[in-house]
Amino acid sequence: MATAYINVSFAIPENIADLDVIYVDFVNGDDINGNGSEENPVKTLRVGLDINHYLGGGKTIIIKEGNYSMGKYTIRDDVTVIGEDPSKVIISQNSG
């Protein structure tokens, strides 16, 4: 049985600003209409990482309280990921 790998691209919200800090908030964020700012965060860490890549890397991602799951993902650029309250941020791997 052969294994096939596919790349799935995620849409980067159209209203992205050139941010130094990208905010991710599972409860109040929106991956379609959010722009990664503190006032308008994205929902998933994956989209936050994609925005970091789109903006050339070297950004800081602040993750708000919540449970985040990630499938396989290759981080393509330098990034700093910080839990706003590390005791209340959980990042787990899913099978995807």
Side-chain angles (χ1 to χ4, degrees), residues 1-5:
M1 182 170 162
T3 302
Y5 294 94

Side-chain angles (χ1 to χ4, degrees), residues 56-78:
K59 308 301 181 185
T60 297
I61 297 176
I62 303 291
I63 304 175
K64 301 283 188 169
E65 176 180 328
N67 294 315
Y68 299 85
S69 82
M70 293 276 298
K72 291 181 182 177
Y73 188 89
T74 301
I75 297 175
R76 299 167 286 194
D77 300 284
D78 289 340

Side-chain angles (χ1 to χ4, degrees), residues 11-63:
I12 300 292
E14 292 183 15
N15 57 348
I16 293 298
D18 189 10
L19 304 167
D20 289 324
V21 178
I22 300 162
Y23 287 86
V24 176
D25 185 339
F26 187 77
V27 174
N28 299 305
D30 186 330
D31 282 348
I32 303 300
N33 298 306
N35 65 7
S37 67
E38 187 170 14
E39 299 79 22
N40 198 7
V42 294
K43 183 176 188 83
T44 62
L45 180 54
R46 178 180 294 274
V47 172
L49 290 166
D50 286 345
I51 291 171
N52 176 69
H53 174 68
Y54 177 80
L55 295 176
K59 308 301 181 185
T60 297
I61 297 176
I62 303 291
I63 304 175

Side-chain angles (χ1 to χ4, degrees), residues 63-68 83-91:
I63 304 175
K64 301 283 188 169
E65 176 180 328
N67 294 315
Y68 299 85
E84 185 175 64
D85 181 347
S87 68
K88 295 183 179 179
V89 173
I90 298 169
I91 302 172

